[in-house]
Structure formats: structure tokens, C-alpha cells
Amino acid sequence: MDQAVVRTPPYFDFDLLREQTAELARAHAGQDTQMRAALVEFLKPYVDQARAFAKAQLEDDGDGRACAAGLSAFQDELIRLGYDFTTRHVYRAENPSTSERMAVVAQGGYGRSLLAPGSDIDLLFLLPYKQTAWGESVAEYILYLLWDLGFTVGHAARTISQCLRLSRADMTIRTALLDARFILGDEKLFAEFLHRFRREVLDVDARAFIEAKLAEQHARHSRTGASRYLVEPNIKEGTGGLRDLHTLHWLAKHIYPDQAEEEFVEAGVFTSGEYASFRRCEFFLWTVRCHLHFLTDREEDRLSFDLQRAMADRLGYRAHAGLSGVERFMKHYFMIALEVGQLTRIVCSALELKQLKSVPSLDTLLAPFDWRRRAKLRRTSDFRIENGRISTVAKDAFKTDPVNFIRLFVVADESQAALSPSVLRQIRANFRLIDEDLRQDPTANRLFLKLLTSARDPEAALRKMTEAGVLGRFIPEWGRVVSMMQFNMYHHFTVNEHLVRTVGHLDAIERGKFAAEHPLANEVINTIDNRRALYVTALLHDVAKGRDEDHSIAGARIARELCPRLGLSPSETETVSWLIEQHLTMSLFAQSRDLNDPKTIRDFAEIVQSRERLKLLLILTVCDICAVGPGTWTGWKGQLLRTLYYEVEPLLGGGHTELTRSQRMQRAQGELRERLADWPQEDLDRFMDRHYPAYWLRTDLDVIMEHARLMRDAEEQSSIIVTNISTDAFRGVTQLTLLAPNHPWLLAMVAGACTGAGANIADAQISTTRDGMALDTIHLEREFDHAEDEERRARKIAVSIERMLRGEIDVVEVIKAKVLSASRLSAFSVEPQVIIDNTLSDALTVVEINALDRPGLLYEVTREISDLNLDIASAHIATFGEKAVDVFYVTDLTGKKVRSSSREALIRERLTRVLVETQEPELEVS
């Protein structure tokens, strides 16, 4: 083997291997099965060696395209060797006729002489019109040899006429044949195929092919996620991935079949700069793809979180300027995806126009600009609309008036027309004109503010400006966050895409499109005074991400500098600055603080200070959460935000008078008596006497009524363990209420039962009665669409809790029965943190834990809190991707705050130990 190995493609000496395999054939003459088995065993080390050399080359020079080309060259020679062996030693044609000939052809990606380490091999066995069994036998032998060597082979055996007929009917087959490349066999047969394929297919039907490929591209983007900014992208099929470059290649190849890629510039498909961009993007994507295949040892094209850090390390990215190495790698990836998108828009549009320019589309006929408005546009501006696309009247339109960089997108929004390839090319050629003079131009800023706040579709307009490269230059702070990702499981998109989607969601709420999902935001948005400030905040609230300082503080500072330039008044500027600085505050209070605690409400009111700010912050918070990604917004989060809003609003109206604890308790009991007026006085008094004063101060009246009915049912049933389940699709939760003898580990048991059922606790209110009963209200995040499925899961949890309390099952068994994959979580690290705060509540100590989420974490934490002899009054559970943020309001066993510094230190130490535990915890209940 050593003599035949070559360290450069094709990685072996063909002639030497041909001699050695001939000896192998002679040694197994007459034993076909043993011969093929021996051939496979002989060739396997060469296959492994070729992959090893290709991998070494990739790691040495970082050229993924060269790696793919080397593997393709190896595959060519291996197939040549297999064909030679088959036709010399297995199916030798002694008197070859015209029927006993074939051409072995590479097609698809392999036809472009590029083969990723884990990719399939796509082969065509091109046969003559008259066939014999010889051709089928040779093809079958080669295929079985390749399969036995571990390759995945896509294949077809067809005559020329069959290829032509199928390629006319099936665009997938036509696409594969566009890249057909001769490997070996009958060259005349292949030449005849090429001639007829071009004359009878490509020259006849280019328009249908272009329409089909563009429709296919749209469908593919929809399947893989329409945004090129998804933070776990598919580098082959995703928006801005390799397949988009392939689409450009196919469209150009169909129109110019005799041109090589490097000749597409001369043909007018690309400018020289665009072709350089094409090759640069291709180089990067092929390098990433080859590394990814070697890293996973399979055809893996999705850059999932658990692979991104390893890929960044392989490619040499290091932390710098506020970004980790993996974030810098992913930013580079998204910049490439953006560049691919720009190329796709320009070149696809140009080729489409070349073929389809005489046919107006339905979108053109229904566009907002009729012929009169198009004529007026041409007379009064530097733009015109033809075939549904905007172009400039003169080539120097941007040079003579740089404000046209902004005006163009206003026209595009008003007309809903696409940008022509020529105008996109003019933009790219004149980026230098987007300078400080334009940034300070009052007209440019007025037009931009109009586009942001009054556009037909501000989300689409901002995305077009970003992807054309204009917005990042007009607002340099925006340019810094374009393609920036945050390496966590919470954010689904890059920063710029999240901000654009926030604006889009705000626009949709204002237009009444989400009245059912966000009723309060829908109600108050038409009553705000600072509409422009709200839109600017939506656009800029995360614009300072990726810096070494708090992005809220830095963002507020950027706003104070930028807003006057955009034309905002000093009052509006101050509002934007305050909203950016506080844009996380309402979400934090709603999800992590006890909204039944008056101190929570007072603290939040002190920050907000006015009803106008409260409205603005509510709407911004809703839009911000919704724009994080699919599934991030839940009905429960909406309920928490509405509760906080309604609790705080009276304090900001000037008519609120602070009541004493005694007065508040009396008012709650009086309201309950009114609501339960049909109850016997004796039953009502008995219920009230069972509760401590804190219960009346912290529990919502509707919940108290549910508790009253549950406790009366328990008395009537003479049962000491009773549960009640109710579902609420709008709030997005299922409520489980439990009445049971108080147990120090009761909440830990509830957490364990929820883990076993695969349910997430969103919130928990814990109360203890004077007669030693626990009365807990648990809100579970809704998972199913149908109430009966939610009730079934909650019932399973309730039964598990009851059996644990009776000692029939161990909580360990319940938790271990649920196996959850931690592969995605393993890619992340969260510094464990335990915060103890006595200032957030008048009567309770607040304990907050931050940690990497994992199955059973809540059980372990609540068990430890119980072991520390702390009573949990309420628990507020939040998960932000991989990060768990759980907040517990606790007291000691005497009902007092934890004030001893040594006691605080012990709590912090014990809980931190739980959070840093990496091996499976010892789950025992004694």
C-alpha cells in the first residue's frame, strides 16, 4: 500500500494499483464473490487514507474548496479503477459491439468536481440506444463495489433519449444533468448527449427552468427558515447557504451552457466584483462544510449550537472586542450569508429579467403604483419603475444626490416594487458616498424616520436596507450588529434581524393584527403620545450588543447622540434613551418577582413614574419578547405583564392611597364575603380562620375563591389530599391546585413529578394554613393544543404527588423515568450564581438562582431549600434558552426574613454546590 499512496490528489498511483488489483484478480480467478470481497478489503485502506490526507490538507491550508476538489479527484480515479477492474477481470467484452459501450458520468455536485467528505456520489451510466446485459452488469458491479466501500451512491442508467425526455419533464433531473461531467468510457456517446441536451432542452425551455428554480428556492427557504439570520443555520440548504450559490450557477449554466464559471463575467452574468464575491463566499462555505463533515463524521450541514464552538476552535476564531470566539465565527458566517443574499437578488433578478422581461407578473398588475403614478415618479425623481422593478433614470443618480440612497427605499415601500439588478449594482458601486455628510443631511434623516414610522411595511423596508448594505452605513451603530449572534439558546436570530422583527411586530400591533394575542397592548397603543419615540426604540434597543459594557446603558447613550440627528425632539430623545435603558425591566419584574407583593409594585412604579412610560414599556416588552423567535411568547408571559401593568397603573394616576396591612386584609376578606354571599356564614368563617394574615395580603381574590371551594370539597369528601386542575389557553398555562398535609419537601416533590411528566413550572404560590395544611397553586407551561391533553398530563402529575406523599413511590423513580437529551445544553456554560436580597420585599427574603438548566434542577434546588429549614412562599420559574433563572420568596421557620450574614453565607454555599453539580445528583427522600 505504501508505494501506491500519494499525499496529493487523487491520493494514490492509478497505474500501480491497477497492477496490484490485477494480481488480486488472478489470485481469485473463477471465484467472483471472494474476488469482490478481497478487492473491497484491499481498497478500504486507500479510502481511509484519502480522507485522512484531505482532512490534513484542510487543517493545514484551510481551503475547503480544495479539499472537496481533492476528494472528487480521488473518487474519479477510484471509479476508473473499479471500471477497469470490472471490464478486464469480471465482465470482459471479448468482441465489443456498438451496444457494449457506456460512459460513466458524474452529475449534480459531484459533476462540478466538488465532493464534501460526507456527501453522496451522483452517477449516471450513459448507455447506447441498443443495449445488452453487459452494460447493466458492469454498472451493477461498480455500484456494489462502491456501496461495499461505504459510499452512498445516487445512480441512474439511461440512454440519451431517456435523459432528454426526463429532463424536459423533471427540473430536478435537468438540474443534475446541467453539471454532467465525463469520467470515463465512450467519449463520443457523452459528446452526443451534450449536443442533444443543449439543443433539445436548454435552448428550448430556459424560462420554465428559471421559474421552477426560483420557486424551488423560495420553498427551500420556507422549509429551512425564511430568515438568513437563524442562529442554527443549515449551511447547504438554508437562506444564504451553498444551495443559493448553486442556484446562481444553474441559472447561468442553463442560459450559457458552453461557458465555464469563470467565463460568466465575460457573458455578463457577473461583474468582476460579483464573481470575486461569489468565489469568496463559496470558499468560506465549502471550508465550513468540509470541517463540519469531518467533525461529525457524517453529512451534517446544520451548524447546531453543540457544533458551533468546536467549529470556531477549528477555524481559529478567538474572543475579541466583546465577542466570544464562537460569536465571531458565527458573525463571519452571517456576513457571508448576507453577501450570498445580495448576489442572489442581483444575479437571479438579472437572469430572470433576461428571460421573462416581456411578461408582466400579477404582482406588477396589482401594485399600488398605476401607470400615472409611475409616470409622475419618473418626472419628479431620479427613479423609474419598469417590469415591477425600480431603477434609476441616470447612472449617476446616487452621485448627484446621495439622499437617493434613502429615497430609493421610500419609493420601494410606497410602490411595493422590487429593486432592479442595476440599482442594486449601483448601490454596491457607490457605498463610499454614504458618508458623514449624508448621515447629517436633514432630508435623508427625515425620509428615514418617515420610512421607520409611516411605511406600508417598515419591517420589509428595514430588512431591504440592511441587506443592500445601506442601513449599516447610514447608521454605523447598526452596522456593528449586522450578522451578530448571541451564543445562547434563547435568541433565535441575529441582533439585526431581532430588531427588524421587533419593529415589524410593533407595526402589526398598531394595525390591530394581534388584538386577540395582545389585547392590552392593542388597547393602549392608540393612546400613547410618543409614537415616533417608540418606533425608534424598537429599532435601537439592542444596538449596543456585543460591547464590553451593559448594552442597555450603552444603547441609551447611543440614542442620546443619534435621535437628534434623526429629527427627534429633546423630549422624544429622552424617552427613547430611558426606554432603551429600561427595556428589560418590565419583563424582569413580571417573570421574576412576586406580583402579589406590594413592594414589587411600588419598586416598579418608582422606576416607571408615569402612565405614558408604562404604556410604552409594556408595548416594547411585548414586541421584544415576540421578536426573539417562535414559541418565545407565551400566554403566561402575557398574563404576568398585564397583571403588573394593572397593579402599577393606579399608583401612577395620583389617586392611590397606601393602605395598612390590616386594612388590606380586611378589604380582601370583605370582597370574598361579597363574592361568596351564598355560602353559609359558618363555612365562610371557618375558611377565613384557617389562614394567616400573609395569605390575604399576597393571594389574588379569584385564587382565594378557588381555594375556598377546594377546601370545602376536601371537608365534604373527608380527604386530606385534594387536587384541582384548570386550563387556560389564552394565558398559556394549566393550573394545578394542591391541598395536602404540609411537608418540608412538598414543592420538591411537585418539581420532581413535573420533571417526570415533562412539564415546566412557570410559577408557584405556596401557602400554609394554621392547621398544618399546604395550599399550593402551581402554573404549568401549556404544551398541548387541546384542554383534555393538558388535563391528562396534569392529572398524571397530581397522581404522582399523591403517591409520593403516601410513600407509595419515590421521587427518584419518577425523575429517572424521564430521559431528556442534554446534547444541546452541553454546548453552553452558565456561571452558577446565588443572590440573596432582603430589599425586594417587606416581609420575605428573595433568593435568586442562575444556572445552566437541566432536568431535575428545580427539584434539587427546592429540596436543598427545604433542607435549609426555609419556607417557600412563592416560586417564579423562568428559562431563557439554556439559562434557568428561578426566584424564591422565603422565610425562616418562624416566618421571618433571613437576616443573619452567616445564615446567608450558608444558604449561598449550599445552593451553589447544587448548581455546580455535574454528575447525576443523589436523589433520595428520607
Side-chain angles (χ1 to χ4, degrees):
M1 173 180 169
D2 290 342
Q3 290 180 335
V5 168
V6 181
R7 298 191 68 87
T8 56
Y11 303 120
F12 67 86
D13 185 320
F14 178 87
D15 293 330
L16 187 54
L17 238 58
R18 187 171 187 261
E19 294 176 13
Q20 292 174 350
T21 53
E23 292 177 11
L24 183 148
R26 287 191 290 272
H28 294 84
Q31 302 172 313
D32 289 352
T33 303
Q34 293 89 332
M35 183 190 297
R36 194 175 79 203
L39 180 62
V40 169
E41 289 305 309
F42 176 78
L43 291 177
K44 272 186 176 179
Y46 289 95
V47 174
D48 295 338
Q49 194 70 60
R51 285 177 58 86
F53 285 152
K55 183 180 179 183
Q57 169 262 308
L58 177 66
E59 292 172 348
D60 180 54
D61 62 19
D63 188 340
R65 200 177 189 283
C67 174
L71 288 171
S72 175
F74 167 76
Q75 199 69 51
D76 286 355
E77 291 302 282
L78 185 65
I79 291 169
R80 280 184 59 214
L81 186 69
Y83 180 86
D84 178 81
F85 184 90
T86 306
T87 54
R88 288 177 63 206
H89 306 297
V90 184
Y91 296 111
R92 183 166 186 160
E94 298 294 342
N95 297 300
S97 66
T98 55
S99 300
E100 291 175 333
R101 60 194 183 109
M102 71 163 58
V104 181
V105 178
Q107 54 181 0
Y110 179 35
R112 294 188 295 276
S113 297
L114 296 170
L115 197 60
S119 289
D120 298 352
I121 302 156
D122 198 356
L123 288 178
L124 170 65
F125 294 95
L126 192 62
L127 305 173
Y129 177 69
K130 291 182 179 181
Q131 301 175 43
T132 66
W134 177 85
E136 183 179 334
S137 299
V138 170
E140 184 179 88
Y141 195 91
I142 293 172
L143 287 172
Y144 273 105
L145 175 63
L146 293 173
W147 288 330
D148 290 344
L149 287 170
F151 296 104
T152 303
V153 186
H155 62 95
R158 298 182 182 127
T159 65
I160 294 174
S161 295
Q162 288 172 329
C163 288
L164 301 182
R165 186 179 71 253
L166 289 170
S167 66
R168 281 191 286 266
D170 189 323
M171 293 301 172
T172 302
I173 292 175
R174 189 188 302 190
T175 303
L177 290 174
L178 270 176
D179 291 313
R181 176 175 59 82
F182 179 78
I183 299 177
L184 58 89
D186 193 315
E187 292 189 62
K188 288 184 179 179
L189 186 64
F190 181 70
E192 181 186 350
F193 157 73
L194 281 184
H195 175 72
R196 290 186 59 190
F197 180 61
R198 291 170 184 175
R199 187 187 67 206
E200 299 176 32
V201 179
L202 301 188
D203 293 347
V204 173
D205 203 15
R207 186 167 137 190
F209 181 79
I210 290 175
E211 288 177 337
K213 296 318 289 183
L214 293 178
E216 177 188 291
Q217 183 183 59
H218 178 74
R220 174 166 46 81
H221 290 173
S222 298
R223 271 196 321 272
T224 57
S227 174
R228 73 185 78 256
Y229 302 111
L230 283 168
V231 294
E232 289 186 289
N234 186 308
I235 63 171
K236 180 183 177 185
E237 302 289 345
T239 309
L242 270 170
R243 191 62 86 207
D244 282 353
L245 293 181
H246 295 161
T247 300
L248 296 183
H249 164 86
W250 292 325
L251 296 181
K253 193 73 175 174
H254 199 292
I255 298 171
Y256 303 102
D258 295 322
Q259 307 288 325
E261 258 185 11
E262 56 270 17
E263 296 173 318
F264 286 160
V265 174
E266 188 176 333
V269 176
F270 296 116
T271 65
S272 57
E274 288 164 358
Y275 182 64
S277 175
F278 180 95
R279 292 306 299 264
R280 182 170 58 252
C281 294
E282 185 185 44
F283 177 93
F284 177 84
L285 291 172
W286 267 110
T287 299
V288 171
R289 190 175 187 220
C290 288
H291 272 295
L292 199 54
H293 285 198
F294 280 128
L295 179 65
T296 59
D297 199 27
R298 64 178 185 273
E299 186 178 16
E300 176 59 74
D301 293 320
R302 184 165 174 257
L303 265 174
S304 55
F305 286 128
D306 53 313
L307 299 173
Q308 288 175 11
R309 195 185 297 278
M311 284 294 298
D313 291 341
R314 273 176 170 254
L315 294 167
Y317 290 86
R318 300 290 178 262
H320 179 69
L323 294 178
S324 65
V326 66
E327 288 170 337
R328 292 185 65 224
F329 161 57
M330 292 306 297
K331 179 166 185 176
H332 191 179
Y333 171 83
F334 289 118
M335 292 297 291
I336 291 293
L338 178 60
E339 195 167 350
V340 171
Q342 292 170 345
L343 280 175
T344 300
R345 276 188 300 279
I346 293 171
V347 178
C348 283
S349 296
L351 294 174
E352 184 184 16
L353 277 174
K354 185 178 180 67
Q355 296 298 316
L356 312 178
K357 59 185 176 184
S358 62
V359 183
S361 68
L362 181 62
D363 288 344
T364 301
L365 296 175
L366 298 178
F369 270 31
D370 58 18
W371 69 270
R372 292 182 181 86
R373 296 188 69 186
R374 292 199 297 273
K376 182 181 178 182
L377 176 70
R378 185 163 186 166
R379 289 196 311 271
T380 59
S381 76
D382 293 322
F383 301 107
R384 62 185 176 188
I385 299 176
E386 294 178 341
N387 296 307
R389 291 173 171 81
I390 304 171
S391 58
T392 56
V393 175
K395 291 184 178 181
D396 61 350
F398 294 108
K399 186 175 182 180
T400 56
D401 186 1
V403 175
N404 280 330
F405 280 108
I406 311 302
R407 191 176 288 118
L408 169 66
F409 294 94
V410 176
V411 172
D413 177 72
E414 291 174 346
S415 64
Q416 292 296 285
L419 303 183
S420 70
S422 62
V423 83
L424 287 169
R425 282 170 169 154
Q426 284 175 264
I427 289 172
R428 287 168 66 95
N430 289 284
F431 277 150
R432 69 187 185 284
L433 300 176
I434 308 177
D435 55 14
E436 193 59 27
D437 288 341
L438 179 62
R439 294 182 198 112
Q440 298 301 329
D441 186 285
T443 302
N445 284 284
R446 177 179 55 78
L447 287 172
F448 176 73
L449 192 59
K450 174 187 175 183
L451 189 67
L452 173 62
T453 60
S454 305
R456 285 172 173 267
D457 188 349
E459 179 179 354
L462 292 167
R463 189 174 288 117
K464 287 177 183 176
M465 286 189 78
T466 298
E467 298 189 347
V470 172
L471 186 53
R473 289 171 171 83
F474 185 63
I475 302 178
E477 295 84 359
W478 180 268
R480 284 190 59 166
V481 297
V482 170
S483 300
M484 180 187 291
M485 75 160 285
Q486 300 157 83
F487 188 64
N488 58 55
M489 287 172 59
Y490 181 62
H491 293 91
H492 294 230
F493 302 105
T494 58
V495 176
N496 63 290
E497 180 66 9
H498 166 69
L499 293 173
V500 167
R501 286 172 180 256
T502 304
V503 172
H505 214 88
L506 174 57
D507 177 64
I509 289 176
E510 188 174 30
R511 294 176 190 272
K513 294 180 180 179
F514 290 127
E517 294 88 342
H518 310 302
L520 181 56
N522 182 74
E523 176 188 331
V524 304
I525 196 166
N526 294 315
T527 69
I528 60 174
D529 297 325
N530 287 271
R531 180 180 174 278
R532 295 199 312 175
L534 182 56
Y535 270 88
V536 173
T537 303
L539 180 69
L540 300 179
H541 69 272
D542 279 345
V543 79
K545 282 281 181 78
R547 300 172 188 244
D548 291 328
E549 58 183 316
D550 186 316
H551 79 282
S552 300
I553 304 297
R557 186 176 63 251
I558 289 170
R560 283 191 288 272
E561 298 170 357
L562 180 61
C563 289
R565 192 197 105 186
L566 295 177
L568 268 59
S569 68
S571 173
E572 288 175 309
T573 298
E574 180 55 34
T575 298
V576 173
S577 179
W578 181 87
L579 282 170
I580 291 177
E581 187 168 340
Q582 301 294 338
H583 75 271
L584 299 175
T585 303
M586 193 168 192
S587 176
L588 174 67
F589 268 73
Q591 296 185 64
S592 301
R593 297 282 291 272
D594 189 343
L595 301 184
N596 292 313
D597 192 317
K599 183 77 161 56
T600 297
I601 308 306
R602 292 199 307 272
D603 288 349
F604 186 66
E606 174 121 4
I607 294 170
V608 177
Q609 295 187 343
S610 75
R611 284 190 173 185
E612 173 71 4
R613 282 183 170 183
L614 178 63
K615 294 174 189 177
L616 295 171
L617 195 55
L618 168 76
I619 299 166
L620 177 64
T621 303
V622 169
C623 296
D624 189 13
I625 295 173
C626 289
V628 166
T632 305
W633 176 264
T634 63
W636 178 243
K637 290 176 183 175
Q639 179 62 30
L640 292 174
L641 289 170
R642 288 189 294 274
T643 299
L644 179 56
Y645 181 95
Y646 288 131
E647 289 292 327
V648 170
E649 188 185 31
L651 274 68
L652 302 174
H656 177 81
T657 303
E658 182 70 35
L659 300 176
T660 65
R661 289 172 62 88
S662 176
Q663 289 171 327
R664 286 168 49 220
M665 187 176 79
Q666 290 172 12
R667 184 177 68 175
Q669 291 177 342
E671 290 174 348
L672 180 64
R673 289 185 186 279
E674 291 177 10
R675 298 276 287 272
L676 298 179
D678 58 330
W679 275 40
Q681 184 70 30
E682 182 182 349
D683 290 357
L684 199 50
D685 288 342
R686 188 167 61 254
F687 171 76
M688 290 183 174
D689 290 342
R690 294 180 71 177
H691 295 289
Y692 292 105
Y695 174 80
W696 301 101
L697 300 175
R698 296 176 45 256
T699 311
D700 181 77
L701 182 59
D702 290 333
V703 175
I704 293 175
M705 290 180 62
E706 290 182 17
H707 289 172
R709 296 189 183 101
L710 185 69
M711 295 179 79
R712 187 167 68 168
D713 290 344
E715 290 178 354
E716 292 174 354
Q717 299 168 17
S718 299
S719 176
I720 60 170
I721 303 176
V722 182
T723 57
N724 181 65
I725 296 166
S726 61
T727 64
D728 190 327
F730 178 67
R731 291 196 300 156
V733 292
T734 294
Q735 181 173 295
L736 172 64
T737 307
L738 170 69
L739 176 68
N742 195 20
H743 188 292
W745 286 2
L746 180 58
L747 184 56
M749 292 180 184
V750 171
C754 290
T755 298
N760 294 321
I761 296 175
D763 194 78
Q765 292 287 336
I766 293 91
S767 301
T768 305
T769 64
R770 294 179 186 271
D771 55 351
M773 299 294 287
L775 186 56
D776 297 351
T777 302
I778 312 297
H779 290 108
L780 307 173
E781 290 183 5
R782 190 179 178 93
E783 181 178 358
F784 302 104
D785 293 332
H786 301 294
E788 54 268 28
D789 294 327
E790 281 293 319
E791 290 171 0
R792 190 179 302 113
R793 183 178 66 157
R795 177 57 55 196
K796 177 183 177 182
I797 294 169
V799 169
S800 292
I801 295 168
E802 291 176 18
R803 293 185 66 196
M804 287 181 211
L805 286 168
R806 293 191 180 103
E808 297 174 6
I809 57 172
D810 193 297
V811 65
V812 181
E813 300 169 14
V814 177
I815 292 177
K816 288 185 176 179
K818 185 69 177 179
V819 179
L820 297 176
S821 172
S823 61
R824 281 162 61 82
L825 290 173
S826 65
F828 302 96
S829 62
V830 175
E831 183 179 354
Q833 193 172 22
V834 178
I835 302 166
I836 301 173
D837 197 322
N838 275 309
T839 68
L840 301 180
S841 173
D842 290 331
L844 302 162
T845 295
V846 177
V847 178
E848 176 183 326
I849 67 104
N850 293 254
L852 183 67
D853 194 22
R854 65 174 184 266
L857 175 64
L858 183 59
Y859 163 76
E860 297 168 48
V861 171
T862 51
R863 184 187 69 170
E864 194 67 29
I865 289 174
S866 296
D867 285 349
L868 286 161
N869 295 321
L870 297 173
D871 277 340
I872 300 174
S874 68
H876 311 275
I877 315 303
T879 304
F880 301 92
E882 75 285 357
K883 183 178 182 179
V885 180
D886 301 340
V887 177
F888 305 91
Y889 282 65
V890 304
T891 64
D892 61 21
L893 295 182
T894 67
K896 305 293 185 183
K897 282 187 175 185
V898 178
R899 296 191 179 277
S900 164
S901 57
S902 59
R903 183 93 167 98
E904 285 188 16
L906 178 64
I907 294 169
R908 193 175 289 109
E909 178 189 343
R910 294 267 294 272
L911 288 177
T912 301
R913 192 183 308 151
V914 170
L915 301 183
V916 299
E917 189 69 54
T918 54
Q919 67 264 28
E920 185 176 284
E922 208 181 298
L923 303 176
E924 294 182 357
V925 177
S926 55

